[in-house]
Amino acid sequence: QVQLAESGGGLVPAGGSLKLSCVTSGSIFSRTSMGWFRQAQGKQRELVALITAGGTARYADSVKGRFTISRDNIKSSATLQMNSLKPEDTAVYFCNAAVLERGSSNYVDYWGQGTQVTVSS
């Protein structure tokens, strides 16, 4: 069982910054894509950003130019740096690890418990 430990989040005024971090098991990190999703109240969970095992990053259009995802292969962690935050960024943010099964092309998803990000106007 893969466990994810999230940290960061909180309350910040519009225009401010926050950093979210997620640490997972070291043994599987080399074949894991890491991502951050968010779910605002009354809305579906949506992808914010992801970074593949090879280091390729992808972002939702709504956060491009403001958020940066990175990974530390030594610490088996992924970080989401969020700048120029807007009230519409308010949501619960979830860390996701998509682990490639050995000898397969299938990925298994694991989720963190979620952390609240609130941006005040």
Short mmCIF file of all heavy atoms in Angstrom, two decimals, residues 64-113:
data_model
loop_
_atom_site.label_atom_id
_atom_site.label_comp_id
_atom_site.label_asym_id
_atom_site.label_seq_id
_atom_site.Cartn_x
_atom_site.Cartn_y
_atom_site.Cartn_z
N LYS A 64 -1.84 27.94 -15.41
CA LYS A 64 -0.60 28.12 -16.16
C LYS A 64 -0.01 29.50 -15.91
O LYS A 64 -0.72 30.50 -15.92
CB LYS A 64 -0.86 27.94 -17.66
CG LYS A 64 -1.00 26.51 -18.11
CD LYS A 64 -1.25 26.41 -19.61
CE LYS A 64 -1.41 24.96 -20.04
NZ LYS A 64 -1.74 24.85 -21.48
N GLY A 65 1.29 29.53 -15.68
CA GLY A 65 1.97 30.78 -15.42
C GLY A 65 1.93 31.21 -13.97
O GLY A 65 2.64 32.14 -13.57
N ARG A 66 1.12 30.54 -13.16
CA ARG A 66 1.01 30.89 -11.74
C ARG A 66 1.49 29.77 -10.83
O ARG A 66 2.07 30.02 -9.77
CB ARG A 66 -0.43 31.25 -11.38
CG ARG A 66 -1.01 32.40 -12.17
CD ARG A 66 -2.39 32.81 -11.63
NE ARG A 66 -3.38 31.75 -11.76
CZ ARG A 66 -4.06 31.24 -10.73
NH1 ARG A 66 -3.84 31.68 -9.50
NH2 ARG A 66 -4.97 30.29 -10.93
N PHE A 67 1.25 28.54 -11.22
CA PHE A 67 1.62 27.37 -10.42
C PHE A 67 2.79 26.64 -11.07
O PHE A 67 2.90 26.60 -12.30
CB PHE A 67 0.45 26.40 -10.30
CG PHE A 67 -0.72 26.89 -9.48
CD1 PHE A 67 -0.82 28.20 -9.06
CD2 PHE A 67 -1.72 26.00 -9.13
CE1 PHE A 67 -1.90 28.64 -8.31
CE2 PHE A 67 -2.82 26.41 -8.38
CZ PHE A 67 -2.91 27.74 -7.98
N THR A 68 3.63 26.06 -10.24
CA THR A 68 4.75 25.26 -10.72
C THR A 68 4.82 23.96 -9.93
O THR A 68 4.86 23.99 -8.69
CB THR A 68 6.07 26.01 -10.58
OG1 THR A 68 6.01 27.25 -11.29
CG2 THR A 68 7.22 25.18 -11.14
N ILE A 69 4.83 22.84 -10.65
CA ILE A 69 4.98 21.55 -10.00
C ILE A 69 6.41 21.06 -10.22
O ILE A 69 7.00 21.27 -11.27
CB ILE A 69 3.95 20.51 -10.54
CG1 ILE A 69 3.97 19.25 -9.68
CG2 ILE A 69 4.19 20.21 -12.02
CD1 ILE A 69 2.82 18.28 -10.00
N SER A 70 6.96 20.44 -9.20
CA SER A 70 8.32 19.91 -9.30
C SER A 70 8.39 18.61 -8.51
O SER A 70 7.51 18.32 -7.69
CB SER A 70 9.34 20.92 -8.78
OG SER A 70 9.09 21.23 -7.42
N ARG A 71 9.44 17.84 -8.75
CA ARG A 71 9.62 16.60 -8.02
C ARG A 71 11.07 16.47 -7.58
O ARG A 71 11.99 16.95 -8.27
CB ARG A 71 9.18 15.39 -8.84
CG ARG A 71 9.95 15.15 -10.11
CD ARG A 71 9.30 14.03 -10.93
NE ARG A 71 9.47 12.72 -10.31
CZ ARG A 71 8.59 11.72 -10.41
NH1 ARG A 71 7.47 11.90 -11.11
NH2 ARG A 71 8.83 10.56 -9.85
N ASP A 72 11.25 15.85 -6.46
CA ASP A 72 12.57 15.58 -5.91
C ASP A 72 12.71 14.06 -5.83
O ASP A 72 12.11 13.42 -4.97
CB ASP A 72 12.72 16.23 -4.53
CG ASP A 72 14.12 16.09 -3.96
OD1 ASP A 72 14.78 15.07 -4.24
OD2 ASP A 72 14.53 16.99 -3.22
N ASN A 73 13.49 13.51 -6.74
CA ASN A 73 13.60 12.05 -6.81
C ASN A 73 14.41 11.46 -5.65
O ASN A 73 14.35 10.26 -5.41
CB ASN A 73 14.19 11.64 -8.15
CG ASN A 73 13.27 11.94 -9.30
OD1 ASN A 73 12.04 11.92 -9.15
ND2 ASN A 73 13.84 12.22 -10.46
N ILE A 74 15.17 12.28 -4.98
CA ILE A 74 15.92 11.81 -3.81
C ILE A 74 15.00 11.70 -2.60
O ILE A 74 15.04 10.72 -1.86
CB ILE A 74 17.09 12.75 -3.50
CG1 ILE A 74 18.04 12.86 -4.70
CG2 ILE A 74 17.84 12.28 -2.26
CD1 ILE A 74 18.67 11.53 -5.10
N LYS A 75 14.16 12.70 -2.45
CA LYS A 75 13.25 12.73 -1.30
C LYS A 75 11.90 12.06 -1.60
O LYS A 75 11.04 12.01 -0.71
CB LYS A 75 13.02 14.18 -0.86
CG LYS A 75 14.28 14.88 -0.38
CD LYS A 75 13.98 16.31 0.05
CE LYS A 75 15.24 17.00 0.55
NZ LYS A 75 14.97 18.41 0.95
N SER A 76 11.71 11.61 -2.83
CA SER A 76 10.44 10.99 -3.23
C SER A 76 9.27 11.91 -2.93
O SER A 76 8.26 11.50 -2.33
CB SER A 76 10.25 9.64 -2.52
OG SER A 76 11.29 8.75 -2.84
N SER A 77 9.41 13.13 -3.36
CA SER A 77 8.39 14.13 -3.05
C SER A 77 8.05 14.96 -4.28
O SER A 77 8.83 15.04 -5.23
CB SER A 77 8.86 15.04 -1.92
OG SER A 77 9.99 15.80 -2.35
N ALA A 78 6.89 15.56 -4.21
CA ALA A 78 6.45 16.49 -5.24
C ALA A 78 5.95 17.75 -4.56
O ALA A 78 5.35 17.68 -3.48
CB ALA A 78 5.35 15.87 -6.09
N THR A 79 6.19 18.88 -5.18
CA THR A 79 5.83 20.17 -4.61
C THR A 79 5.03 20.97 -5.62
O THR A 79 5.34 20.95 -6.81
CB THR A 79 7.08 20.95 -4.21
OG1 THR A 79 7.80 20.21 -3.21
CG2 THR A 79 6.73 22.32 -3.66
N LEU A 80 4.02 21.65 -5.13
CA LEU A 80 3.24 22.56 -5.97
C LEU A 80 3.41 23.96 -5.39
O LEU A 80 2.91 24.25 -4.31
CB LEU A 80 1.76 22.17 -5.99
CG LEU A 80 0.88 23.01 -6.91
CD1 LEU A 80 1.24 22.75 -8.38
CD2 LEU A 80 -0.60 22.72 -6.68
N GLN A 81 4.12 24.79 -6.11
CA GLN A 81 4.28 26.19 -5.72
C GLN A 81 3.17 26.99 -6.39
O GLN A 81 3.06 26.99 -7.61
CB GLN A 81 5.65 26.72 -6.15
CG GLN A 81 5.88 28.18 -5.84
CD GLN A 81 5.93 28.45 -4.35
OE1 GLN A 81 6.57 27.73 -3.59
NE2 GLN A 81 5.21 29.49 -3.91
N MET A 82 2.38 27.66 -5.56
CA MET A 82 1.23 28.40 -6.07
C MET A 82 1.43 29.89 -5.81
O MET A 82 1.53 30.31 -4.66
CB MET A 82 -0.06 27.91 -5.39
CG MET A 82 -0.27 26.42 -5.53
SD MET A 82 -1.84 25.86 -4.81
CE MET A 82 -1.52 26.15 -3.07
N ASN A 83 1.53 30.65 -6.88
CA ASN A 83 1.71 32.10 -6.79
C ASN A 83 0.51 32.83 -7.38
O ASN A 83 -0.29 32.22 -8.10
CB ASN A 83 2.98 32.51 -7.53
CG ASN A 83 4.25 31.89 -6.96
OD1 ASN A 83 4.34 31.65 -5.75
ND2 ASN A 83 5.21 31.63 -7.83
N SER A 84 0.42 34.09 -7.07
CA SER A 84 -0.68 34.93 -7.59
C SER A 84 -2.03 34.25 -7.39
O SER A 84 -2.85 34.16 -8.32
CB SER A 84 -0.45 35.24 -9.08
OG SER A 84 0.80 35.88 -9.28
N LEU A 85 -2.25 33.78 -6.20
CA LEU A 85 -3.48 33.03 -5.92
C LEU A 85 -4.72 33.90 -6.04
O LEU A 85 -4.69 35.11 -5.73
CB LEU A 85 -3.39 32.41 -4.53
CG LEU A 85 -2.52 31.14 -4.45
CD1 LEU A 85 -2.10 30.86 -3.03
CD2 LEU A 85 -3.26 29.97 -5.05
N LYS A 86 -5.78 33.27 -6.50
CA LYS A 86 -7.06 33.95 -6.70
C LYS A 86 -8.12 33.28 -5.83
O LYS A 86 -8.00 32.10 -5.49
CB LYS A 86 -7.48 33.85 -8.17
CG LYS A 86 -6.45 34.38 -9.16
CD LYS A 86 -6.91 34.12 -10.59
CE LYS A 86 -5.90 34.62 -11.60
NZ LYS A 86 -6.34 34.35 -12.99
N PRO A 87 -9.18 34.00 -5.50
CA PRO A 87 -10.26 33.38 -4.72
C PRO A 87 -10.81 32.11 -5.37
O PRO A 87 -11.18 31.17 -4.65
CB PRO A 87 -11.31 34.48 -4.65
CG PRO A 87 -10.53 35.75 -4.73
CD PRO A 87 -9.40 35.45 -5.68
N GLU A 88 -10.81 32.04 -6.68
CA GLU A 88 -11.31 30.85 -7.37
C GLU A 88 -10.38 29.65 -7.25
O GLU A 88 -10.74 28.55 -7.68
CB GLU A 88 -11.60 31.14 -8.85
CG GLU A 88 -10.47 31.81 -9.59
CD GLU A 88 -10.64 33.32 -9.67
OE1 GLU A 88 -11.00 33.95 -8.65
OE2 GLU A 88 -10.39 33.89 -10.75
N ASP A 89 -9.20 29.85 -6.68
CA ASP A 89 -8.31 28.72 -6.40
C ASP A 89 -8.68 28.02 -5.09
O ASP A 89 -8.10 26.98 -4.75
CB ASP A 89 -6.86 29.20 -6.30
CG ASP A 89 -6.32 29.71 -7.63
OD1 ASP A 89 -6.60 29.09 -8.67
OD2 ASP A 89 -5.61 30.74 -7.62
N THR A 90 -9.61 28.58 -4.36
CA THR A 90 -10.04 27.99 -3.10
C THR A 90 -10.63 26.60 -3.34
O THR A 90 -11.53 26.43 -4.16
CB THR A 90 -11.09 28.89 -2.41
OG1 THR A 90 -10.47 30.13 -2.06
CG2 THR A 90 -11.64 28.22 -1.17
N ALA A 91 -10.09 25.61 -2.64
CA ALA A 91 -10.52 24.22 -2.81
C ALA A 91 -9.75 23.34 -1.84
O ALA A 91 -8.80 23.79 -1.19
CB ALA A 91 -10.26 23.75 -4.24
N VAL A 92 -10.16 22.09 -1.78
CA VAL A 92 -9.34 21.07 -1.13
C VAL A 92 -8.42 20.49 -2.19
O VAL A 92 -8.87 20.08 -3.26
CB VAL A 92 -10.20 19.95 -0.50
CG1 VAL A 92 -9.31 18.89 0.12
CG2 VAL A 92 -11.15 20.54 0.53
N TYR A 93 -7.15 20.49 -1.91
CA TYR A 93 -6.15 20.01 -2.85
C TYR A 93 -5.69 18.61 -2.44
O TYR A 93 -5.35 18.37 -1.28
CB TYR A 93 -4.96 20.96 -2.90
CG TYR A 93 -5.25 22.22 -3.69
CD1 TYR A 93 -6.15 23.17 -3.20
CD2 TYR A 93 -4.65 22.47 -4.92
CE1 TYR A 93 -6.44 24.32 -3.93
CE2 TYR A 93 -4.92 23.61 -5.65
CZ TYR A 93 -5.82 24.53 -5.15
OH TYR A 93 -6.10 25.68 -5.87
N PHE A 94 -5.67 17.71 -3.41
CA PHE A 94 -5.31 16.31 -3.16
C PHE A 94 -4.05 15.95 -3.95
O PHE A 94 -3.95 16.23 -5.15
CB PHE A 94 -6.44 15.38 -3.61
CG PHE A 94 -7.72 15.54 -2.85
CD1 PHE A 94 -8.68 16.45 -3.27
CD2 PHE A 94 -7.95 14.79 -1.70
CE1 PHE A 94 -9.87 16.60 -2.58
CE2 PHE A 94 -9.14 14.94 -1.00
CZ PHE A 94 -10.09 15.84 -1.43
N CYS A 95 -3.14 15.31 -3.29
CA CYS A 95 -1.97 14.76 -3.95
C CYS A 95 -2.34 13.41 -4.55
O CYS A 95 -3.07 12.61 -3.93
CB CYS A 95 -0.83 14.59 -2.93
SG CYS A 95 0.66 13.84 -3.62
N ASN A 96 -1.84 13.16 -5.74
CA ASN A 96 -2.10 11.89 -6.43
C ASN A 96 -0.78 11.28 -6.87
O ASN A 96 0.10 11.97 -7.38
CB ASN A 96 -2.99 12.12 -7.64
CG ASN A 96 -3.06 10.92 -8.55
OD1 ASN A 96 -2.32 10.81 -9.51
ND2 ASN A 96 -3.95 10.00 -8.25
N ALA A 97 -0.66 9.97 -6.67
CA ALA A 97 0.48 9.22 -7.19
C ALA A 97 -0.07 8.14 -8.12
O ALA A 97 -0.87 7.31 -7.69
CB ALA A 97 1.28 8.59 -6.05
N ALA A 98 0.35 8.19 -9.37
CA ALA A 98 -0.04 7.17 -10.34
C ALA A 98 1.16 6.27 -10.55
O ALA A 98 2.16 6.68 -11.14
CB ALA A 98 -0.47 7.83 -11.65
N VAL A 99 1.06 5.05 -10.03
CA VAL A 99 2.19 4.13 -10.00
C VAL A 99 2.06 3.11 -11.12
O VAL A 99 1.03 2.42 -11.23
CB VAL A 99 2.27 3.41 -8.64
CG1 VAL A 99 3.48 2.49 -8.61
CG2 VAL A 99 2.33 4.43 -7.50
N LEU A 100 3.09 3.02 -11.94
CA LEU A 100 3.11 2.04 -13.02
C LEU A 100 3.39 0.66 -12.45
O LEU A 100 4.42 0.45 -11.77
CB LEU A 100 4.19 2.42 -14.03
CG LEU A 100 4.36 1.49 -15.23
CD1 LEU A 100 3.10 1.47 -16.09
CD2 LEU A 100 5.57 1.89 -16.06
N GLU A 101 2.48 -0.27 -12.69
CA GLU A 101 2.66 -1.63 -12.18
C GLU A 101 3.82 -2.30 -12.92
O GLU A 101 3.98 -2.14 -14.13
CB GLU A 101 1.39 -2.44 -12.37
CG GLU A 101 0.22 -1.99 -11.52
CD GLU A 101 -0.98 -2.89 -11.66
OE1 GLU A 101 -1.37 -3.17 -12.81
OE2 GLU A 101 -1.53 -3.31 -10.63
N ARG A 102 4.60 -3.07 -12.17
CA ARG A 102 5.73 -3.77 -12.78
C ARG A 102 5.25 -4.74 -13.84
O ARG A 102 4.29 -5.47 -13.65
CB ARG A 102 6.53 -4.52 -11.71
CG ARG A 102 7.31 -3.62 -10.78
CD ARG A 102 8.22 -4.44 -9.88
NE ARG A 102 8.92 -3.63 -8.91
CZ ARG A 102 10.01 -2.95 -9.18
NH1 ARG A 102 10.51 -2.96 -10.40
NH2 ARG A 102 10.60 -2.25 -8.23
N GLY A 103 5.93 -4.75 -15.00
CA GLY A 103 5.58 -5.67 -16.07
C GLY A 103 4.25 -5.39 -16.73
O GLY A 103 3.68 -6.25 -17.38
N SER A 104 3.77 -4.18 -16.59
CA SER A 104 2.45 -3.82 -17.09
C SER A 104 2.46 -2.38 -17.58
O SER A 104 3.38 -1.62 -17.27
CB SER A 104 1.42 -4.00 -15.97
OG SER A 104 0.18 -3.41 -16.31
N SER A 105 1.44 -2.05 -18.34
CA SER A 105 1.27 -0.66 -18.75
C SER A 105 0.15 0.00 -17.95
O SER A 105 -0.32 1.09 -18.29
CB SER A 105 0.96 -0.58 -20.25
OG SER A 105 -0.22 -1.31 -20.54
N ASN A 106 -0.27 -0.68 -16.89
CA ASN A 106 -1.36 -0.16 -16.07
C ASN A 106 -0.84 0.71 -14.93
O ASN A 106 0.21 0.40 -14.34
CB ASN A 106 -2.18 -1.30 -15.46
CG ASN A 106 -2.87 -2.13 -16.53
OD1 ASN A 106 -3.31 -1.59 -17.55
ND2 ASN A 106 -2.95 -3.43 -16.30
N TYR A 107 -1.58 1.75 -14.62
CA TYR A 107 -1.26 2.62 -13.50
C TYR A 107 -2.28 2.43 -12.38
O TYR A 107 -3.46 2.24 -12.64
CB TYR A 107 -1.26 4.09 -13.93
CG TYR A 107 -0.06 4.50 -14.74
CD1 TYR A 107 -0.02 4.31 -16.11
CD2 TYR A 107 1.05 5.08 -14.12
CE1 TYR A 107 1.10 4.67 -16.85
CE2 TYR A 107 2.17 5.45 -14.85
CZ TYR A 107 2.19 5.25 -16.22
OH TYR A 107 3.29 5.61 -16.94
N VAL A 108 -1.82 2.48 -11.17
CA VAL A 108 -2.68 2.42 -9.99
C VAL A 108 -2.62 3.76 -9.29
O VAL A 108 -1.53 4.28 -9.04
CB VAL A 108 -2.25 1.29 -9.03
CG1 VAL A 108 -3.15 1.27 -7.80
CG2 VAL A 108 -2.27 -0.05 -9.75
N ASP A 109 -3.77 4.32 -8.98
CA ASP A 109 -3.84 5.63 -8.35
C ASP A 109 -3.89 5.54 -6.83
O ASP A 109 -4.62 4.72 -6.27
CB ASP A 109 -5.09 6.39 -8.83
CG ASP A 109 -4.92 6.95 -10.22
OD1 ASP A 109 -3.86 7.56 -10.48
OD2 ASP A 109 -5.84 6.77 -11.05
N TYR A 110 -3.15 6.41 -6.19
CA TYR A 110 -3.20 6.56 -4.74
C TYR A 110 -3.42 8.04 -4.45
O TYR A 110 -2.95 8.92 -5.19
CB TYR A 110 -1.90 6.08 -4.09
CG TYR A 110 -1.64 4.61 -4.31
CD1 TYR A 110 -0.91 4.18 -5.42
CD2 TYR A 110 -2.13 3.66 -3.42
CE1 TYR A 110 -0.67 2.83 -5.64
CE2 TYR A 110 -1.89 2.31 -3.64
CZ TYR A 110 -1.16 1.90 -4.74
OH TYR A 110 -0.94 0.57 -4.95
N TRP A 111 -4.12 8.29 -3.33
CA TRP A 111 -4.51 9.67 -3.01
C TRP A 111 -4.09 10.05 -1.60
O TRP A 111 -4.13 9.23 -0.69
CB TRP A 111 -6.03 9.82 -3.15
CG TRP A 111 -6.51 9.63 -4.54
CD1 TRP A 111 -6.93 8.48 -5.12
CD2 TRP A 111 -6.63 10.64 -5.55
NE1 TRP A 111 -7.29 8.70 -6.43
CE2 TRP A 111 -7.12 10.02 -6.72
CE3 TRP A 111 -6.35 12.02 -5.57
CZ2 TRP A 111 -7.35 10.72 -7.90
CZ3 TRP A 111 -6.58 12.72 -6.74
CH2 TRP A 111 -7.07 12.08 -7.90
N GLY A 112 -3.74 11.33 -1.45
CA GLY A 112 -3.55 11.87 -0.12
C GLY A 112 -4.89 12.23 0.49
O GLY A 112 -5.95 12.12 -0.15
N GLN A 113 -4.86 12.69 1.74
CA GLN A 113 -6.09 12.95 2.46
C GLN A 113 -6.69 14.30 2.11
O GLN A 113 -7.86 14.56 2.42
CB GLN A 113 -5.83 12.90 3.98
CG GLN A 113 -5.15 14.13 4.58
CD GLN A 113 -3.66 14.17 4.34
OE1 GLN A 113 -3.09 13.31 3.66
NE2 GLN A 113 -3.00 15.16 4.92
#
